């Protein structure tokens, strides 16, 4: 955390994002929100609840179902002076918006030689566990981190969610903000100070430990903290939430590995060519000789997300897989 | 953008001059590309000059446009410095994008030019977003999206116009119907090539104009702009025109000779010049002077660009983000590492 925390309150991650949006709408008239059902109805996940009533239809806009069109409009509005927060609802729908993300939002600042900035936040919920099946459950953060030209944040705690959303809105660069569905109800202490932010690109050591470093994202942060308590006495687990996947604060991770000599990366995304691989590669490059055991990956075994709970539970990585990974190398 | 409106004699002569400048610019570009002085892909605007000049003549300094892969004409019409345009084409540091954009990405944000665009149809959503900024600012300005008829079948153009119409945005969607999408004639890829019909579907005004007539284009876009400024939302203007060169320079994709002749007989520059001379607003001698002036200006612009320096290699790492990029620096350092 970058500031001295004076006061906190216990709220859910969903409420933390709502607060961040509200505070930024109040702070800066250039902040606008649009997406499907973000207005009068307050969003399918209630993220924008109350904002339409308080800030009006000009600044909190219901958009037609046209993801590529309204992400592109976000690019154009950002390039001409606004700070839009565009809502994609489910991250799977990035498929519909991909052109404007891949070729405009993330390239304009560079290909125009730095002439204009694109202070655009695109947010979406991602992740499985609700039997929502293949097109409402996928994680996309690895794919987004691979595009180049944008920042990608994946908060694992309510405080990180609030602080990162505020930083994302204030950033002059495009930011993808990914909310894991399983974290929305997670409750924790969040600073009440309106100036509280979390810098994009700083990992957080959520729990100190001596034996194994667990780099956990999104819902795995809560899972890891619970598991660490459970294993205390047998294994001392250090839990790090990278919070931002791009930029990636590998230094904090490498410092931890230098102490523990053991690394587990727990992230819900597909295992091949992924976030896990990037984190482990950077540890290999910067702390290879400190590793006592092979780094372990906990993630999705490369299938689409199935609907039936028996199937989804089979392939969805969770606490059991994480515990096995820790025990393999502890 | 020219200073005087086309209702005036000064404005009409300035429009002719601007069209001549667009064409002479592109003729030089064609030669420089053939001579290997311009790398990459180049799509020329020759033939369509009346559209860029007529449309941008309606704009003020706080208006914005988005352009296409065929964007040089829009840039010159918006008043961008030809020398810095040639510099960008010739991969020099003095180019508008300091060598990072090339032909398909020339932009000059200060001139209201939000960029040429290498992906067909992508400018339309961006112009629509600029329209939101304008509506919230209430500054009596508009955004204009240029796109070819090849973009009419792109989903994102449909999405953009739907959005612009739903939100009553001050945006003009300008279709440059040059009859070919890359190498494919419009009739082959559209059942209905009367794009004006699309206006009813979106519930907005649409008008077809003679895209070889600069005044006709100017009047239709002026009307669209007026409606936008009065809060009536977006309009579609379809300008029927033709490009004389293949889709992209160097492609063996010639246009049918007969069709080319038909359009060259209606050439925007020749017909408008003859009209102005006939009306006594211009003499043949004055036109020659205009041409000479433009030739000299563009020759000097090419020379200045040619003598410029290319960007330094390390600039490739700059401007990915507005802040220092630790990951890029990290990878860069590793690439340069000579031992573990």
């Amino acid at each position: 955390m970058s500031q001295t925390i004076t006061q906190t309150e216990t709220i859910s991650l969903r409420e933390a994002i709502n607060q961040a949006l509200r505070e930024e709408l109040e702070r800066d008239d250039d902040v606008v929100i649009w997406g499907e059902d973000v207005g009068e109805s307050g969003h399918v996940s209630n993220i924008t609840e109350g904002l339409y009533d308080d800030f009006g239809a000009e600044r909190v806009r219901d958009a037609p179902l046209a993801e590529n069109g309204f992400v592109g409009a976000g690019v154009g509005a950002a390039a001409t002076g606004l700070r839009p927060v565009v809502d994609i609802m489910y991250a799977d729908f990035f498929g519909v918006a991909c052109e404007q993300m891949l070729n405009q939002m993330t390239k304009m600042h560079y290909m125009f030689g730095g002439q204009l900035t694109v202070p655009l936040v695109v947010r979406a919920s991602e992740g499985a566990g609700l039997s929502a099946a293949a097109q409402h459950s996928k994680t996309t953060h690895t794919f987004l981190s691979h595009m180049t030209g944008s920042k990608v944040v994946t908060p694992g705690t309510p405080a990180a969610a609030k602080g990162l959303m505020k930083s994302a809105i204030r950033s002059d660069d495009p930011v993808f903000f990914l909310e894991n569905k399983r974290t929305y109800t997670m409750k924790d202490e969040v600073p009440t100070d309106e100036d509280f932010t979390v810098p994009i690109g700083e990992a957080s050591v959520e729990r100190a430990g001596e034996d194994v470093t667990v780099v956990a994202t999104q819902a795995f942060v809560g899972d890891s903290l619970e598991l660490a308590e459970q294993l205390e006495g047998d294994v001392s687990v250090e839990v790090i939430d990278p919070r931002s996947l791009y930029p990636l604060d590998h230094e904090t991770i490498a410092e931890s590995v230098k102490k523990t000599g053991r690394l587990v990366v727990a992230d819900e995304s597909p295992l091949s060519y992924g976030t896990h691989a990037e984190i482990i590669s950077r540890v290999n490059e910067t702390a290879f000789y400190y590793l006592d055991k092979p780094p372990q990956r906990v993630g999705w075994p490369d299938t689409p997300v199935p609907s039936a709970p028996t199937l989804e539970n089979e392939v969805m990585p969770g606490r059991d897989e994480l515990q096995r990974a820790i025990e393999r190398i502890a | 953008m020219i200073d005087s409106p086309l209702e005036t004699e000064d404005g009409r002569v300035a429009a002719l001059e601007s069209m001549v400048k667009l064409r002479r610019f592109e003729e030089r570009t064609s030669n420089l590309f053939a001579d290997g002085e311009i790398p990459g892909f180049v799509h020329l605007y020759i033939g369509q000059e009346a559209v860029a000049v007529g449309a941008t003549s309606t704009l003020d300094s706080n208006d914005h446009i988005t352009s296409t892969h065929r964007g040089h004409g829009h840039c010159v019409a918006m008043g961008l410095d030809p020398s810095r345009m040639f510099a960008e084409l010739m991969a020099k540091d003095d180019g508008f994008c300091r060598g990072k954009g090339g032909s398909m990405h020339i932009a000059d944000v200060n001139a209201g030019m939000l960029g040429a665009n290498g992906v067909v149809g992508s400018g339309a959503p961006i112009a629509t977003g600029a329209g939101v900024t304008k509506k919230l600012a209430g500054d009596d300005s508009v955004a204009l999206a240029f796109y070819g008829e090849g973009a009419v079948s792109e989903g994102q153009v449909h999405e953009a116009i739907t959005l612009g119409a739903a939100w009553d945005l001050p945006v003009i969607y300008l279709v440059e119907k040059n009859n070919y999408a890359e190498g494919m004639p419009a009739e082959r890829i559209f059942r209905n090539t009367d794009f004006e019909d699309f206006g009813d579907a979106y519930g907005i005004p649409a008008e077809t104009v003679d895209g070889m007539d600069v005044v006709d284009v100017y009047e239709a876009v002026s009307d669209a702009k007026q409606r936008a400024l009065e809060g009536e939302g977006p309009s579609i203007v379809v300008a029927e025109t033709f490009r004389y060169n293949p889709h992209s320079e160097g492609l063996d994709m010639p246009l049918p000779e007969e069709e080319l002749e038909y359009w060259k007989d209606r050439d925007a520059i020749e017909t408008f010049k003859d009209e102005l001379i006939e009306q006594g607003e211009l003499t043949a001698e004055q036109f020659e002077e205009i041409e000479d002036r433009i030739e000299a200006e563009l020759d000097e612009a090419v020379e200045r660009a040619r003598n410029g320096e290319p960007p330094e290699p390390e600039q490739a790492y700059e401007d990915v983000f507005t802040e220092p990029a630790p990951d890029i620096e990290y990878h860069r350092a590793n690439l340069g590492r000579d031992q573990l």
Side-chain angles (χ1 to χ4, degrees):
Chain A
M1 312 273 169
S2 59
Q3 295 100 345
T4 313
I5 308 305
T6 48
Q7 256 192 315
T8 63
E9 60 179 331
T10 300
I11 56 172
S12 69
L13 187 138
R14 183 202 313 274
E15 290 167 322
I17 297 170
N18 182 276
Q19 266 188 11
L21 294 171
R22 173 177 293 281
E23 288 173 14
E24 292 306 297
L25 281 163
E26 269 165 8
R27 194 183 65 85
D28 183 351
D29 287 343
D30 289 335
V31 177
V32 290
I33 295 175
W34 62 68
E36 293 157 22
D37 266 330
V38 299
E40 210 164 349
S41 69
H43 196 261
V44 291
S45 302
N46 302 325
I47 297 294
T48 56
E49 199 171 278
L51 301 181
Y52 174 89
D53 292 337
D54 293 343
F55 297 96
E58 287 291 320
R59 294 185 66 200
V60 183
R61 293 176 163 261
D62 278 326
L65 282 66
E67 289 82 356
N68 203 18
F70 67 65
V71 170
V75 174
T80 49
L82 294 180
R83 291 186 175 273
V85 181
V86 173
D87 183 301
I88 293 288
M89 199 182 292
Y90 296 108
D92 311 73
F93 306 162
F94 281 137
V96 196
C98 207
E99 153 55 21
Q100 289 288 331
M101 294 158 42
L102 182 67
N103 281 316
Q104 311 301 327
M105 167 182 175
T106 53
K107 292 180 181 170
M108 275 174 83
H109 180 65
Y110 186 78
M111 74 185 176
F112 296 154
Q115 280 189 72
L116 56 74
T117 56
V118 184
L120 170 64
V121 180
V122 176
R123 43 167 296 271
S125 67
E126 59 174 15
L130 301 180
S131 277
Q135 296 169 345
H136 288 69
S137 302
K138 192 171 170 57
T139 55
T140 55
H141 51 254
T142 298
F143 156 71
L144 299 171
S145 300
H146 201 72
M147 286 203 299
T148 70
S150 54
K151 298 175 177 177
V152 180
V153 297
T154 51
T157 61
K162 183 174 180 185
L164 284 170
M165 177 55 85
K166 290 170 73 93
S167 291
I169 292 171
R170 298 178 193 188
S171 169
D172 286 334
D173 296 311
V175 181
F176 288 107
F177 192 96
L178 285 318
E179 304 151 19
N180 187 284
K181 295 184 196 76
R182 284 205 295 139
T183 64
Y184 278 143
T185 53
M186 178 193 194
K187 287 196 170 185
D188 199 8
E189 289 190 8
V190 175
T192 52
D193 184 350
E194 290 193 3
D195 289 328
F196 163 73
T197 58
V198 170
I200 296 173
E202 277 187 19
S204 163
V205 179
E206 292 290 322
R207 184 185 195 277
E210 300 299 323
D211 301 331
V212 177
T213 300
V214 174
V215 176
T217 67
Q218 301 179 316
F220 269 119
V221 176
D223 292 341
S224 304
L225 292 170
E226 284 173 24
L227 196 55
E229 289 301 316
Q230 187 189 313
L231 297 175
E232 187 61 39
D234 299 325
V235 190
S236 170
V237 177
E238 178 146 309
V239 178
I240 297 177
D241 178 1
R243 300 194 292 198
S244 146
L245 297 180
Y246 202 99
L248 177 65
D249 174 10
H250 63 263
E251 286 167 7
T252 297
I253 297 168
E255 281 312 306
S256 173
V257 171
K258 286 177 183 174
K259 177 175 65 176
T260 64
R262 292 169 173 81
L263 172 66
V264 176
V265 180
D267 175 71
E268 193 181 314
S269 66
L271 283 159
S272 295
Y273 298 96
T275 293
H276 318 78
E278 181 59 28
I279 291 170
I280 292 170
S281 288
R282 299 226 197 160
V283 168
N284 283 343
E285 286 167 341
T286 56
F288 183 77
Y289 297 115
Y290 294 87
L291 284 166
D292 295 324
K293 290 288 177 74
Q296 301 295 307
R297 296 190 277 185
V298 179
W300 199 282
D302 290 5
T303 69
V305 179
S307 175
T310 51
L311 302 175
E312 191 179 38
N313 290 339
E314 171 60 28
V315 279
M316 183 168 172
R319 267 183 58 170
D320 292 348
E321 288 80 8
L322 177 57
Q323 185 168 350
R324 283 201 293 275
I326 293 170
E327 288 171 352
R328 274 200 298 275
I329 57 170
Chain B
M1 277 180 284
I2 57 178
D3 292 334
S4 316
L6 263 69
E7 286 87 356
T8 66
E9 190 175 316
D10 282 353
R12 285 188 288 274
V13 173
L16 178 65
E17 181 165 348
S18 181
M19 288 197 291
V20 172
K21 192 166 167 183
L22 264 64
R23 183 162 301 179
R24 298 290 171 265
F25 182 95
E26 292 293 62
E27 287 166 356
R28 278 164 177 73
T29 301
S30 179
N31 292 336
L32 292 166
F33 180 81
D35 293 344
E37 287 197 72
I38 294 177
F41 300 159
V42 166
H43 308 80
L44 299 185
Y45 197 73
I46 294 175
Q48 302 180 200
E49 293 88 354
V51 185
V53 173
T56 59
S57 296
T58 68
L59 301 182
D60 295 305
S61 58
N62 58 348
D63 294 322
H64 284 86
I65 69 161
T66 59
S67 173
T68 70
H69 58 289
R70 199 175 304 289
H72 306 166
H74 308 139
C75 293
V76 178
M78 288 293 280
L80 269 62
D81 175 0
S83 170
R84 293 195 62 203
M85 285 181 64
F86 282 126
E88 188 61 37
L89 297 179
M90 295 163 84
K92 299 300 174 72
D93 191 37
D94 193 38
F96 277 103
C97 310
R98 302 194 67 191
K100 288 206 176 82
S103 166
M104 287 186 281
H105 306 298
I106 297 180
D108 183 1
V109 176
N110 293 331
M113 163 61 187
L114 289 174
N117 207 311
V119 182
V120 170
S122 288
I126 294 169
T128 303
V132 179
T133 307
K134 292 167 183 305
K135 191 174 188 213
L136 293 187
D139 66 352
D140 283 341
S141 68
V142 299
L144 186 153
F146 285 103
Y147 53 93
E149 93 268 8
V152 172
S153 49
E154 292 286 0
Q156 55 178 338
V157 171
H158 170 61
E159 294 187 11
I161 303 175
T162 302
L163 192 64
W167 288 354
D168 294 327
L169 299 178
V171 184
I172 300 159
Y173 300 98
L174 202 163
V175 188
E176 297 193 70
K177 185 184 176 190
N178 65 14
N179 289 319
Y180 282 86
E182 298 167 45
M184 299 176 288
E187 289 72 23
R188 192 183 300 162
I189 55 171
F190 291 100
R191 179 176 281 205
N192 180 3
T193 57
D194 204 351
F195 301 125
E196 183 184 309
D197 292 350
F198 287 49
D200 281 344
Y202 298 114
I204 63 174
E207 185 181 353
T208 302
V209 297
D210 180 358
M212 303 304 264
D213 182 337
V214 68
V215 177
D216 213 18
V217 175
Y218 169 82
E219 285 173 350
V221 176
S222 293
D223 291 347
K225 181 175 178 180
Q226 198 52 40
R227 286 191 294 270
L229 294 182
E230 284 166 8
E232 294 175 32
S235 302
I236 296 172
V237 176
V238 183
E240 295 185 318
T241 181
F242 203 70
R243 66 169 147 81
Y244 296 172
N245 289 48
H247 164 65
S248 177
E249 284 305 275
L251 282 187
D252 184 20
M253 214 182 254
L255 294 154
E257 207 52 49
E258 224 171 273
E259 206 175 356
L260 203 49
E261 285 312 309
Y262 169 82
W263 288 96
K264 282 186 173 176
D265 281 347
R266 310 173 60 227
D267 183 78
I269 295 173
E270 288 302 314
T271 51
F272 194 51
K273 178 191 75 180
D274 292 346
E275 196 182 312
L276 293 188
I277 290 174
E278 200 172 305
Q279 287 166 1
E281 297 182 5
L282 182 78
T283 64
E285 293 72 32
Q286 284 169 330
F287 183 70
E288 255 178 58
E289 282 167 25
I290 287 172
E291 282 203 303
D292 290 346
R293 192 166 63 238
I294 289 170
E295 296 276 357
E297 185 197 345
L298 293 178
D299 284 343
E300 197 199 321
V302 169
E303 211 42 41
R304 210 170 338 139
R306 184 178 276 142
N307 293 330
E309 294 297 323
E312 295 295 330
E314 60 262 29
Q315 288 172 228
Y317 300 103
E318 296 171 3
D319 294 327
V320 181
F321 296 101
T322 59
E323 301 171 330
D327 303 76
I328 292 171
E329 290 310 317
Y330 169 75
H331 294 307
R332 185 184 175 190
N334 272 350
L335 290 174
R337 189 168 66 170
D338 54 11
Q339 58 183 26
L340 268 177

